[in-house]
Amino acid sequence: MGALKSTPAPIEHHDLSEKTGFSLRQIRVLHKRFKQLSDGDDVLRREDFLGISSLKYNPIRKEIIEAFFNRRNFSPSCEGRANEIDFEEFLVVMSHFKPPCSKMTDEQRKNIRREKLKFIFNMHDSDGDGLITLEDYRHLVEELLSRSGALGKETSRAIADAAMFEVARTVGHRDPDEFYEGITFEHFLKLLSNFDIESRMNIRFLKTDVIPGCRLG
Amino acid sequence: MFSRMAPRGRSGLGRSLAELGLLLLAILVLLDGTVLSLEAATSSEIDTHEGKPGTHKNTSKKSFPVLGIKYDDVSVPFEISLWVLLASLMKLGFHLIPRLSNVVPESCLLISVGLLVGGILKLARDEVPPVLSDRIFFLCLLPPIILDAGYFLPIRPFVENIGTILMFAVVGTLWNAFFVGGLIYAVCQIAQDKYSEIDLSNIGILPCLLFGSIISAVDPVAVLAVFEEIHINELLHILVFGESLLNDAVTVVLYHLFEEFMESGSVSAVDAILGLVSFLIVALGGVLVGAFYGILAAFTSRFTSHTRVIEPLFVFLYSYMAYLSAEVFHLSGIMSLIACGAVMRPYVEANISHKSHTTIKYFLKMWSSVSETLIFIFLGVATVEGEHHWNWVFLTSTVVLCLVARVIGVVGLTYIINKFRIVKLTTKDQFIIAYGGLRGAIAFSLGFILHSEHKKIFLTAIITVIFFTVFVQGMTIKPLVELLAVKKKHEAKRSINEEIHTRFLDHLLTGIEDICGHYGHHHWKNKLNRFNKKYVKKILIAGDRSKEPQLIAFYHKLEMKNAIQMVESGGGSKLNSTFPSTVSMQNIQPKIHSPPSARPSERALPQLTKGREEEIRQILRTNLQKTRQRLQSYNRHTLVVDPDEEGFDDLILKKRRMMELDWKVCKTSSHKSSNAIYSQAYVKPGAENVPTIKIDLASPQSPDSVRLLDEVVQDQGLTMSLPSSSSRAYKTSGKDDGRDQQKLLRCLSDPGPDVDDDEDYDDDEPVPT
């Protein structure tokens, strides 16, 4: 932490702090990391992420990187994908992983939950049409299992099918005539209603320290 | 861990059975009494007989004894069996009385029975055998309970909350010990009770501290017994329970420390530091010993594929050895046992057969259940037996101080802990944690082996505290939980979606941490997992299973459970009840990038109605069962091939078929176009694509029987015979029939996924009995 200068934070940081809810210190640390990843540039591109060595082992690496460039994560009204992001957008994506504050009303808790689940939903929904289809789900399970060697596509397909089946069942009785196109966001919320995502999807930013060794390459 | 549900609607019968039970109890007790006195009588007879050998021989010739009583040889096992039988009958009896088990926790009932039995024995013989000797307790009764707890410990919540648990266990227990010990000393000095025969001010500070350390530890047996009946949420359960397990190290160290100090008579600063060092050694040493034996057990289980029958024995033996080895070196035996069970479980379960897994589970549950029952009964008996020194001042102040110490400790620690936790502990949580700090038999046994001049008064006080916590706190905790509306455990089944998302979240968070450049705990966890997968699993797990990821194991386990459910719900006749909705896979449409014109036609109805599906299933079922009946194999070294287990695999096969059926029935083809599309799209006429299931029965012959199954099934031509029989069944228009046949062909020809009927891999939730 000795690298932090004692100069006053720029005005943008104050604005960002208000917008995303991070403290000034956290913003400074993340800014430093941003600069490190982008090689001093003002925008981050996909290639910059690919340089992080420890990300290599991650089976869902591609989805994570895509999530940073997915405009829907910047604000609810945006659509499509970006090719490069600036610091503000980087922060907005990171803010999805903030730990919840201790005193929250139920309303706030629900909102935070929605936000986090929407982030995950966007990650699953690869074509951005608001539905997670069976193909998307199959792809997801395949990726999760991709690190385990030659286990065959059939098992991952079976798991994805079973999961989809379960969703359809949970969501309720449907007319046999109707086809179930895919999981909508509302169904997704209902499906994971028992999953306490607001306490699990967190990174402890309080002690974030950019360790010089953990860098690109 | 045990679900104790009262039976309903048989109260009349229950009452008479309970009375019968009590009658039986009385008979047993009297029998015990008379048998023991008979033993005394026969021994005296023998004495007199031998006293005058010479004269006897001369005078009369003894006739051949047709029926004699020789109790000596079997006395010890006989008595032990009698006690265990009594305990089990009592347990049976309680559950036949429906209302009682809802109001009063079992531990209270058992202690009462113990009191009763102790009283009867005392009256009958004027002397009660000291049954709760510390050797029996620590060597025979305690290990099964702890092993059961350790083996089925839910690792994820335990590790996630380990910081909190350690805080409560270590700091909390230390605080309790010193607070109670110190203040009791103060009370002793101040109180002057002219009517009691003990001079309290004689009790020095060290004995008081020793007493404090004994009584401050929360007891795992009592906590388990009470908490598992109230079904509280997982977090609180693991906090209190984890604390009760880990505070053993603290108790052991404090106990030995104060005992040493008492003997040597003086304390110095060096001793205090040595005490601290000793604590670290006791705790870490215990864990290391346990982990060592756990790894040995895992390694051994890798080679047991040919001798499945003794697999459970290895698990039990290694664990017991871990416990005993730790006790040899005065390390914490409980922590060693927990570490052994937790370390060996993932590897052992990947190696052993399904039957061995079931055996281990049920043996552990059975032994721990019996142990627990015996402990409480003996506690009751020992209460009646011992000499007590009643000193109201001492007793009431002990109880009050324990409660106060616990409350202050919990509140203070939570305040500090909440600064570091994401999910804070609320006041309700704190109350339950404080209220759940029950004392039990461990405290009693430790008191029993004291070598102090004040032993009797200490023992009385310990018993009082135990009784108070078990009776008062144990009975009232359930209504309080209801009153405070504390979150209960959800009994919901773990869904596969949640499992997928748990894994997904793990990877996501690790990825984000890497992007931030932050070495958080996800990063280290990930590294540990990778190390585990790369090196450890290869060594400790036999064969292919070392590569199986948890998601797949979870999925197989779920399949197995569903199959078991199907068996229990009547062999598939109520299949639809497992999937109660009208949704079947036919409704789940994969997104096809087909031209828009094809879309409306895809929405046509499936041709098979529910009735037809049911008939198809029926036919499949009967065909499969006919096949199965030929394949019984028996070998002395294997267990008899269990027809039920055959049934499971059967049903998994069936279920897969059904899912495929539903799924395929209305696949993405247009109905307007004719059979041409079908024959073009799905060319396989399917004799060779019958799904295969590799079954791992407890038998080296199993691969053969499986292969036999495949051949038979293929020979029977399941795939081919079906359409003709089904078309016989439903006489509709020819065109429909044609389509149906094609569809069925398609269904059955689709190669289902390869399933390895493997054993449970990840048994995170407590297993209900």
Side-chain angles (χ1 to χ4, degrees), chain B residues 350-371:
Chain B
N351 282 331
I352 62 178
S353 73
H354 185 70
K355 285 194 168 77
S356 301
H357 169 80
T358 312
T359 308
I360 293 179
K361 187 169 91 176
Y362 277 101
F363 258 85
L364 281 178
K365 299 280 175 208
M366 182 185 78
W367 272 331
S368 66
S369 181
V370 168
S371 275

Side-chain angles (χ1 to χ4, degrees), chain A residues 200-212:
Chain A
R200 290 166 85 157
M201 185 164 150
N202 298 306
I203 307 278
R204 290 176 201 241
F205 279 122
L206 295 167
K207 305 193 199 73
T208 299
D209 215 348
V210 177
I211 303 173

Side-chain angles (χ1 to χ4, degrees), chain B residues 437-491:
Chain B
L438 306 173
R439 284 22 175 211
I442 292 187
F444 180 77
S445 317
L446 285 177
F448 206 72
I449 56 182
L450 266 182
H451 302 299
S452 156
E453 57 199 43
H454 307 290
K455 177 170 163 178
K456 297 199 189 88
I457 190 170
F458 285 164
L459 215 52
T460 315
I462 293 174
I463 290 186
T464 317
V465 173
I466 295 178
F467 270 51
F468 182 81
T469 56
V470 172
F471 277 89
V472 174
Q473 286 178 237
M475 272 202 266
T476 54
I477 200 167
K478 193 163 185 183
L480 275 173
V481 161
E482 308 270 333
L483 195 69
L484 294 175
V486 178
K487 260 200 316 189
K488 297 267 194 103
K489 186 161 78 146
H490 353 265
E491 303 289 355

Side-chain angles (χ1 to χ4, degrees), chain B residues 153-165:
Chain B
L153 193 67
I155 294 285
R156 219 189 163 97
F158 187 74
V159 171
E160 281 175 9
N161 292 301
I162 190 81
T164 316
I165 293 178

Side-chain angles (χ1 to χ4, degrees), chain A residues 33 129 137 174 177-178 180, chain B residues 497 515 582 587 591 605:
Chain A
R33 180 64 177 166
D129 61 352
Y137 228 62
R174 305 187 68 83
D177 288 5
E178 237 179 288
Y180 188 64
Chain B
N497 277 295
I515 292 180
T582 53
N587 294 100
K591 191 141 195 191
L605 263 178

Side-chain angles (χ1 to χ4, degrees), chain B residues 146-288:
Chain B
I146 304 295
L147 181 60
D148 184 31
Y151 196 75
F152 292 112
L153 193 67
I155 294 285
R156 219 189 163 97
F158 187 74
V159 171
E160 281 175 9
N161 292 301
I162 190 81
T164 316
I165 293 178
L166 278 175
M167 271 294 260
F168 278 126
V170 177
V171 180
T173 312
L174 281 174
W175 158 261
N176 277 352
F178 282 102
F179 187 82
V180 172
L183 284 186
I184 256 296
Y185 178 67
V187 164
C188 286
Q189 297 300 324
I190 300 173
Q192 300 283 349
D193 192 349
K194 293 186 275 281
Y195 301 101
S196 99
E197 61 271 17
I198 314 157
D199 187 7
L200 284 180
S201 50
N202 264 348
I203 307 179
I205 179 77
L206 276 176
C208 282
L209 284 176
L210 183 58
F211 173 70
S213 72
I214 296 177
I215 204 151
S216 62
V218 176
D219 186 83
V221 179
V223 163
L224 261 182
V226 168
F227 264 56
E228 66 100 46
E229 288 182 10
I230 62 180
H231 298 299
I232 208 163
N233 69 47
E234 199 179 51
L235 174 67
L236 286 179
H237 186 140
I238 197 72
L239 283 180
V240 181
F241 184 55
E243 177 196 346
S244 68
L245 289 175
L246 295 186
N247 67 21
D248 180 61
V250 181
T251 313
V252 164
V253 170
L254 281 179
Y255 186 80
H256 288 300
L257 206 65
F258 288 132
E259 251 196 338
E260 285 293 323
F261 288 169
M262 265 170 55
E263 287 185 15
S264 68
S266 64
V267 186
S268 65
V270 180
D271 291 329
I273 297 182
L274 283 180
L276 194 65
V277 171
S278 141
F279 164 69
L280 286 171
I281 293 182
V282 161
L284 292 175
V287 170
L288 282 174

